[in-house]
């Protein structure tokens, strides 16, 4: 019997079916061991020796693999065909060797698609482990460990509130922060456009003013309303006729099949998927045998796939849509050893696979791959110029006509920017034609700042700069969101206060290590390792030689010195020029103190130099907001006490205050309530919290609505229920409150909020019970309604598959119900330490 090891149970099930008797296929469930998160896991003084530790939750699976390996005649390592796959195979081999369970004959096989033909062919052409790829994996893992475990303690001690930094994640964060700085420094410029709506042969089209009073008009030429209205009148009064028509043929070639990066970009544009969601769905499609391997930077397809695509095009359309010669695309991968075949369907005759999001992503992959082998689109671009009788004023209309759609009949690549005027349709125009003028408009515009990054545009920019590798982008972006360094608003990245402060700290004290060029150069060196052109320890030694002393130097600085340096570095952002010659650091409350950056237990904030006499503070992220520099804003007087009710700004945001002094009552303004809408009535309602909804009809005890640290909630008899919004605190009635408390109690009394599942994974393959992914007190877990199984640390919730969830539930059920507290055999009591007898009184 031959033992085959793969990563996932779904892949194992499919491959075992293809191989038949004589083979036993087991899954490792991803990586089986890693560097333990503690000091000393990588020892630079011992040639960067690494201490690996087996995942506790993989012990059962490794035991099953080791037991089978002891009786196997050969071990076949069939993990994914990339660096991570090679690393998993190496780890499995190392673990089996330590357990003295490694068969004498070990083979490594790779296949780009989970089809019978691909698997059978791979089994016929085994090889040994690729030591260069394993060295590249070790170098990357050691680098990430050394950066994280050397830099993070510096952050914790010198930058309160910072959580972690990473070799690639910090550079990706800098991209987002740099774009935000560009937007803040941008000054819009006014300009006007004059456009005429014309009609010819029953077809309307737009023509833009390009010459006025004999002068050429560019985009920003008309800068004020008076000139725009004068130009509009000139167009309205003139009789315009066509003076020239320029027609040029245009050919558009299809884009190549997807790589990992382009798949993430296009799925974000067309389907609205996050990068992590795209990769999770693609992983499932790959394991089901529907598509080829989804972590690749190659754009070429196998010859048999090209032939199959051309046949599919001919049968779906006609011979005219098939190019004379097969299309071949050149890969842009920096390292050919890591460039595999592009992402494509394993069967071009299969137009659908899966359902829901899986079907949508498969269709995108199928169309893109098929279009890559279709004929070019032939278009005609037309530019028509119209002039009035004087020749002093001219309009221009542009557009294009599709003569032959070619690949556009099936697929058109998405775009991040808006449609341009060249893509509009024009009627057929001839010299001397006088189209009807229907309407003339003069529109005001302002130049726009560069747009914030979407997931698609950020992935594209990272790939252009050579930062990280496409296969890691999804995890990198997810980490930034999980650490609360950024937030996604309308699918665009906004840096949070903590992200801006961390980036400033790294730029000020570790500028080299967050520079784009350095990070890209390091990626090139790691690629050279995987290509066998560099020695991995030499690359680590060169990095560590400069990095270690730099972290030691920063660690020796006092927190006050760090804060002073950041205050100076961030001065243009924290205290921008007001434009009136006044001091931007002058305290708006006392009028004599100067504002400066301060470090606190919960992060950085801005405070007055006259503290404690002046208690003015401002949140770090509210720099430049004029409303924050106005001091306390009096909203009115409390009708009961006659004291002033004020809106103030503190280190943790805006808040209401009743009266003055240390004993003054305060209430925070929640994030979902705009400060601009704050008035006396709102302030009094928040200051009078908690609100009593009434007596519970069953218990007679009061139901309280209040605002807590984690948001709005209900409280009754020691039980809690989460409210959907702040407004519900003041609006919820008795019936709705009782219903919400009952829903919360349905979760066993532990849930303080909704018991809605994070995700429905589908029916259990064996019991047909619906499996749900839930959020629990101690982290995410899966349940089939009878058995709950906690997710291991090594399994990301957004990448969990149905098969993995079913396996976790089966393993948990096999262990039996958990022991109840206070039942069973009592633990032996510890012997108390002997005490000296007290002297008799």
């Amino acid at each position: 019997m031959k033992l085959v090891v793969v990563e996932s149970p779904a892949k194992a099930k499919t491959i075992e079916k293809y191989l038949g008797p004589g083979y036993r296929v087991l899954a490792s469930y991803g990586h089986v061991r890693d560097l333990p998160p503690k000091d000393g896991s990588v020892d630079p003084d011992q040639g960067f020796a690494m201490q690996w530790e087996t995942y506790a939750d993989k012990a059962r699976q490794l035991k099953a693999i080791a037991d089978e390996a002891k009786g196997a005649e050969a071990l076949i390592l069939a993990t994914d065909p990339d660096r991570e796959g090679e690393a998993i195979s190496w780890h499995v081999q190392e673990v089996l060797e330590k357990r003295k369970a490694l068969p004498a004959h070990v083979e490594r096989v790779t296949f780009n698609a989970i089809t019978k033909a691909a698997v059978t062919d791979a089994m016929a052409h085994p090889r040994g482990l690729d030591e260069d790829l394993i060295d590249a994996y070790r170098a990357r893992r050691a680098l990430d460990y050394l950066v994280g475990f050397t830099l993070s303690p510096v952050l914790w001690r010198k930058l309160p509130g910072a959580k972690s930094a990473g070799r690639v994640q910090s550079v990706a964060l800098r991209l987002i922060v740099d774009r935000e700085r560009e937007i803040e420094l941008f000054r819009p410029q006014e300009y006007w456009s004059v456009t005429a709506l014309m009609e010819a042969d029953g077809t309307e089209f737009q023509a833009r003013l390009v010459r006025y009073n004999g002068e050429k008009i560019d985009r920003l030429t008309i800068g004020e309303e008076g000139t725009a209205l004068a130009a509009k009148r000139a167009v309205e009064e003139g009789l315009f006729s066509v003076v020239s028509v320029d027609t040029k043929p245009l050919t558009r070639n299809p884009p190549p099949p997807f790589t990992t990066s382009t798949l993430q970009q296009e799925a974000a544009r067309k389907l609205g998927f996050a990068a992590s969601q795209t990769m999770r769905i693609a992983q499932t499609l790959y394991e089901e045998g529907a598509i080829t391997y989804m972590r690749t930077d190659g754009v070429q397809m196998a010859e048999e796939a090209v032939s199959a695509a051309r046949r599919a095009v001919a049968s779906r359309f006609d011979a005219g849509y098939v190019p004379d010669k097969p299309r071949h695309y050149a890969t842009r991968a920096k390292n050919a050893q890591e460039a595999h075949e592009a992402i494509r369907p394993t069967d071009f005759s299969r137009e659908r696979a899966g359902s829901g999001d899986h079907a949508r992503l498969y269709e995108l992959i199928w169309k893109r791959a098929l279009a890559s082998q279709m004929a070019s689109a032939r278009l005609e671009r037309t530019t028509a110029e119209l002039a009035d009788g004087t020749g002093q004023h001219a309009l221009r209309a542009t557009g294009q006509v599709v003569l032959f759609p070619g690949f556009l009949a099936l697929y058109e690549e998405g775009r991040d920017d808006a449609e341009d005027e060249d893509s509009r349709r024009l009627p057929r125009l001839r010299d001397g034609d006088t189209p009807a003028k229907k309407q003339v408009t003069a529109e005001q515009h302002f130049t726009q700042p560069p747009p914030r990054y979407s997931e698609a545009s950020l992935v594209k920019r990272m790939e252009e700069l050579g930062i990280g590798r496409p296969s890691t982008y999804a995890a990198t972006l997810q980490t930034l969101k999980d650490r609360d360094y950024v937030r996604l608003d309308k699918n665009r990245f906004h840096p949070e206060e903590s992200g801006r402060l961390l980036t400033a700290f790294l730029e000020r004290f570790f500028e080299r290590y967050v520079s784009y060029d350095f990070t890209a150069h390091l990626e090139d060196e790691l690629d050279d390792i995987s290509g066998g052109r560099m020695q991995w320890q030499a690359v680590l030694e060169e990095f560590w030689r400069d990095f270690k002393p730099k972290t030691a130097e920063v660690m020796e600085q006092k927190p006050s010195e760090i804060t002073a340096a950041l205050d100076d570095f961030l001065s243009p952002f924290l205290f921008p020029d007001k434009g009136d010659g006044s001091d931007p650091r002058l305290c708006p409350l006392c009028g004599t103190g100067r504002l400066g950056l301060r470090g606190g237990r919960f992060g950085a904030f801005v405070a007055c130099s006259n503290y404690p006499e002046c208690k003015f503070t401002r949140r770090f992220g509210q720099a430049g907001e004029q409303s924050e520099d106005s001091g306390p804003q009096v909203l009115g007087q409390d009708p009961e006490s006659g004291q002033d009710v004020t809106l103030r700004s503190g280190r943790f945001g805006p808040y209401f205050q009743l009266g003055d002094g240390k004993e003054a009552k305060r209430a925070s303004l929640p994030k979902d309530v705009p400060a601009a809408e704050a008035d006396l009535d709102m302030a009094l309602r928040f200051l009078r919290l908690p609100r009593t909804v009434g007596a519970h009809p069953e218990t007679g005890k009061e139901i309280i609505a209040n605002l807590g640290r984690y948001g709005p909630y209900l409280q009754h008899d020691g039980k809690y229920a989460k409210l959907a919004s702040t407004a519900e605190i003041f609006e919820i009635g008795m019936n709705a409150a009782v219903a919400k408390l009952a829903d919360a109690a349905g979760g066993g009394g532990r849930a303080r909020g909704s018991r809605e599942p994070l995700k429905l994974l589908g029916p259990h393959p064996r019991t047909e019970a619906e499996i749900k992914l839930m959020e629990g007190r101690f982290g995410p877990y899966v349940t089939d309604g009878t058995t709950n199984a906690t997710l291991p640390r090594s399994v990301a919730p957004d990448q969990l598959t149905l098969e993995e969830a079913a396996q976790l539930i089966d393993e948990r059920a096999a262990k039996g119900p958990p022991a109840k507290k206070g039942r069973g055999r009592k633990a032996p009591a510890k012997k108390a330490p002997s005490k000296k007898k007290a002297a008799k009184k």
Side-chain angles (χ1 to χ4, degrees):
M1 186 271 295
K2 294 182 178 180
L3 174 63
V4 181
V5 176
V6 296
E7 296 96 334
S8 74
K11 188 175 174 181
K13 188 176 179 181
T14 306
I15 291 173
E16 192 163 51
K17 181 175 64 178
Y18 292 151
L19 295 178
Y23 290 90
R24 178 81 168 99
V25 186
L26 293 178
S28 68
Y29 286 85
H31 276 283
V32 296
R33 62 179 190 170
D34 196 7
L35 297 171
K38 62 182 182 181
D39 289 336
S41 294
V42 178
D43 189 351
D45 297 330
Q46 299 296 324
F48 298 94
M50 302 183 198
Q51 302 295 323
W52 302 98
E53 184 179 90
T54 303
Y55 287 126
D57 57 308
K58 297 296 176 67
R60 185 187 182 92
Q61 205 60 29
L62 280 174
K63 183 180 184 303
I65 292 173
D67 290 344
E68 288 287 347
K70 288 175 182 176
E73 62 185 81
L75 172 66
I76 301 174
L77 301 165
T79 49
D80 289 342
D82 60 0
R83 184 183 58 251
E84 291 300 311
E86 207 73 20
I88 292 172
S89 286
W90 174 69
H91 280 305
V92 170
Q93 178 176 295
E94 291 278 302
V95 169
L96 292 179
E97 191 171 14
K98 283 188 177 181
R99 297 188 179 188
K100 296 184 172 28
L102 187 67
H105 191 60
V106 180
E107 295 176 344
R108 171 81 169 110
V109 299
T110 57
F111 33 83
N112 197 46
I114 305 178
T115 62
K116 187 167 186 178
V119 172
T120 305
D121 182 67
M123 290 295 177
H125 300 90
R127 61 169 173 83
L129 285 173
D130 189 324
E131 294 297 332
D132 292 332
L133 278 183
I134 294 167
D135 286 347
Y137 161 78
R138 288 194 285 194
R140 283 179 184 273
R141 194 65 198 88
L143 269 175
D144 291 341
Y145 172 89
L146 291 172
V147 170
F149 274 81
T150 308
L151 195 52
S152 292
V154 178
L155 295 176
W156 300 335
R157 295 178 191 178
K158 307 301 180 183
L159 196 69
K163 297 176 181 177
S164 69
R167 183 178 61 86
V168 176
Q169 85 181 43
S170 297
V171 184
L173 177 60
R174 183 186 171 185
L175 277 172
I176 297 169
V177 171
D178 281 352
R179 177 55 56 89
E180 197 70 20
R181 289 172 183 159
E182 289 180 59
I183 293 170
E184 289 166 352
L185 294 173
F186 181 83
R187 295 294 175 264
Q189 182 179 346
E190 179 185 5
Y191 69 97
W192 290 74
S193 65
V194 178
T195 309
L197 179 64
M198 318 286 282
E199 183 180 347
D201 297 333
T203 302
E204 292 183 348
F205 65 95
Q206 288 189 333
R208 179 173 48 87
L209 182 67
V210 293
R211 189 166 67 246
Y212 174 58
N213 289 336
E215 298 290 332
K216 181 182 177 184
I217 300 294
D218 290 323
R219 179 167 170 256
L220 301 177
T221 301
I222 303 177
E224 47 85 26
E225 186 178 14
T227 306
L229 294 178
K232 177 188 175 186
R233 281 193 300 272
V235 174
E236 287 174 332
E237 294 168 359
L239 179 63
F240 287 81
S241 57
V242 178
V243 295
S244 69
V245 179
D246 184 21
T247 302
K248 293 181 179 178
L250 176 68
T251 301
R252 281 182 62 184
N253 295 320
F258 283 127
T259 62
T260 302
S261 170
T262 54
L263 176 63
Q264 291 174 2
Q265 294 172 47
E266 195 74 338
R269 294 189 196 105
K270 291 194 169 184
L271 306 179
F273 289 175
S276 57
Q277 182 184 8
T278 299
M279 296 310 293
R280 176 176 54 78
I281 296 172
Q283 175 86 36
T284 304
L285 290 173
Y286 165 67
E287 291 175 351
E288 290 173 350
I291 63 170
T292 55
Y293 191 54
M294 67 290 161
R295 292 187 179 90
T296 174
D297 44 22
V299 291
Q300 68 281 359
M301 294 197 301
E303 290 299 327
E304 61 270 18
V306 171
S307 299
R310 288 168 63 85
R311 289 194 300 271
V313 171
S315 65
R316 184 180 176 89
F317 299 95
D318 60 50
Y321 284 81
V322 183
D324 295 336
K325 294 180 181 179
R327 293 187 181 276
H328 295 284
Y329 298 91
T331 180
R332 291 185 299 167
K334 295 184 179 182
N335 189 327
Q337 213 171 358
E338 292 191 69
H340 307 294
E341 193 180 355
I343 304 169
R344 62 168 177 84
T346 55
D347 181 1
F348 278 97
S349 65
R350 183 182 181 186
E351 294 188 20
R352 283 186 61 83
S355 60
D357 288 346
H358 290 70
R360 295 170 68 202
L361 188 66
Y362 176 82
E363 183 183 27
L364 193 68
I365 294 168
W366 179 81
K367 284 185 174 180
R368 174 88 168 216
L370 198 63
S372 73
Q373 290 302 318
M374 291 178 69
S376 301
R378 296 196 305 276
L379 304 94
E380 189 176 76
R381 178 171 293 168
T382 302
T383 302
E385 190 152 318
L386 302 90
D388 68 347
T390 66
Q392 291 293 297
H393 313 308
L395 301 170
R396 181 177 296 154
T398 58
Q400 63 186 26
V401 177
V402 177
L403 302 177
F404 172 68
F407 75 94
L408 292 177
L410 180 66
Y411 178 85
E412 185 164 10
E413 192 169 23
R415 299 170 60 171
D416 288 317
D417 51 359
E419 178 185 37
D420 60 23
E421 61 182 27
D422 284 348
S423 62
R424 298 171 184 159
R425 296 290 297 269
L426 273 186
R428 190 166 293 280
L429 298 172
R430 304 169 192 81
D431 286 0
D433 284 355
T434 307
K437 191 187 329 154
K438 301 188 70 174
Q439 184 183 5
V440 180
T441 57
E443 286 188 87
Q444 183 188 37
H445 310 274
F446 291 92
T447 53
Q448 296 297 310
R452 292 182 175 90
Y453 286 112
S454 63
E455 286 217 4
S457 58
L458 183 58
V459 164
K460 183 178 181 181
R461 185 61 179 147
M462 289 173 70
E463 187 178 33
E464 288 172 350
L465 293 172
I467 297 169
R469 280 294 169 262
S471 59
T472 65
Y473 290 161
T476 299
L477 301 187
Q478 190 61 47
T479 299
L480 292 179
K481 290 183 278 189
D482 292 345
R483 297 279 188 272
D484 293 326
Y485 289 149
V486 300
R487 73 179 188 278
L488 267 178
D489 184 12
K490 296 179 181 176
N491 290 324
R492 297 283 172 172
F493 281 110
H494 295 249
E496 296 284 19
E497 294 175 19
S498 56
R500 293 198 71 144
L501 188 63
L502 173 62
T503 299
F505 175 84
L506 294 174
E507 283 185 283
R508 173 61 181 81
F509 295 101
F510 295 92
E511 183 180 10
R512 180 188 182 200
Y513 303 100
V514 289
S515 74
Y516 304 138
D517 291 342
F518 175 81
T519 308
H521 174 68
L522 195 55
E523 287 294 340
D524 289 340
E525 291 188 328
L526 291 167
D527 283 345
D528 286 339
I529 295 172
S530 62
R533 297 180 292 275
M534 289 192 77
Q535 207 273 335
W536 69 280
Q537 281 122 327
V539 172
L540 291 176
E541 180 62 42
E542 182 184 359
F543 172 84
W544 188 246
R545 189 187 307 123
D546 296 325
F547 184 70
K548 179 60 176 174
K550 184 64 179 175
T551 55
E553 174 192 324
V554 176
M555 188 66 92
E556 289 175 3
Q557 296 192 43
K558 297 177 181 177
S560 58
E561 295 172 337
I562 299 284
T563 303
L566 289 177
D567 178 86
D568 181 62
F569 184 81
L570 288 166
S571 182
F573 163 65
L574 293 174
F575 314 107
D577 185 5
K578 294 185 176 181
D580 57 3
S582 62
D583 183 3
R585 285 182 178 260
L586 188 67
C587 177
L589 186 59
C590 68
T592 58
R594 302 195 78 237
L595 302 180
L597 187 67
R598 301 286 184 270
R601 181 180 175 188
F602 301 104
F605 63 99
V606 173
C608 179
S609 59
N610 284 340
Y611 179 84
E613 288 76 18
C614 177
K615 293 183 171 59
F616 177 86
T617 59
R618 187 179 73 197
R619 283 167 53 196
F620 169 82
Q622 291 176 324
E625 293 184 14
Q626 295 302 315
S627 62
E628 299 304 326
D629 290 342
S630 58
Q633 177 186 350
V634 178
L635 300 174
Q637 285 72 43
D638 177 24
E640 295 179 5
S641 65
Q643 293 180 306
D644 283 346
V645 178
T646 54
L647 174 64
R648 302 171 180 241
S649 177
R651 291 164 55 187
F652 308 109
Y655 65 94
F656 298 115
Q657 181 170 313
L658 176 62
D660 290 305
K662 290 184 179 180
E663 302 303 319
K665 190 169 184 179
R666 300 174 179 86
S668 295
L669 188 67
K671 289 184 178 180
D672 62 343
V673 179
E677 297 179 7
D679 56 17
L680 178 62
D681 180 59
M682 179 188 291
L684 291 173
R685 285 196 293 167
F686 277 103
L687 287 165
R688 287 168 182 163
L689 287 177
R691 168 184 169 239
T692 300
V693 179
H696 194 290
E698 295 177 5
T699 65
K701 296 181 179 179
E702 287 186 340
I703 298 176
I704 302 296
N706 201 359
L707 185 66
R709 182 178 177 186
Y710 300 107
Y713 67 92
L714 290 172
Q715 179 185 1
H716 165 256
D717 195 21
K719 301 292 191 302
Y720 297 84
K722 188 177 180 181
L723 293 175
S725 67
T726 303
E728 274 200 279
I729 298 175
F730 308 105
E731 297 170 357
I732 194 166
M734 179 59 69
N735 291 339
V738 170
K740 280 187 177 289
L741 287 164
D743 288 343
R750 296 179 300 170
R752 299 196 175 198
S754 169
R755 299 296 296 167
E756 289 296 314
L758 298 176
K759 183 183 173 187
L760 295 173
L761 296 168
H764 193 295
R766 287 166 288 282
T767 66
E768 299 297 325
E770 187 72 27
I771 296 181
K772 302 174 185 177
L773 176 64
M774 307 290 288
E775 183 64 56
R777 286 177 66 192
F778 306 107
Y781 67 95
V782 288
T783 180
D784 62 355
T786 304
T787 303
N788 297 345
T790 304
L791 257 63
R793 283 185 306 163
S794 58
V795 177
D798 60 346
Q799 296 179 0
L800 182 71
T801 65
L802 175 62
E803 278 292 334
E804 289 172 333
Q807 181 79 12
L808 290 170
I809 288 172
D810 290 348
E811 289 177 0
R812 184 69 194 84
K815 294 178 183 176
K820 301 266 186 179
K821 287 186 178 180
R823 302 251 183 117
R825 207 174 88 178
K826 207 172 177 182
K830 290 184 179 179
K831 189 176 180 181
S834 57
K835 295 182 180 180
K836 291 183 180 179
K837 290 184 179 180
K840 288 184 180 180
K841 290 185 180 180

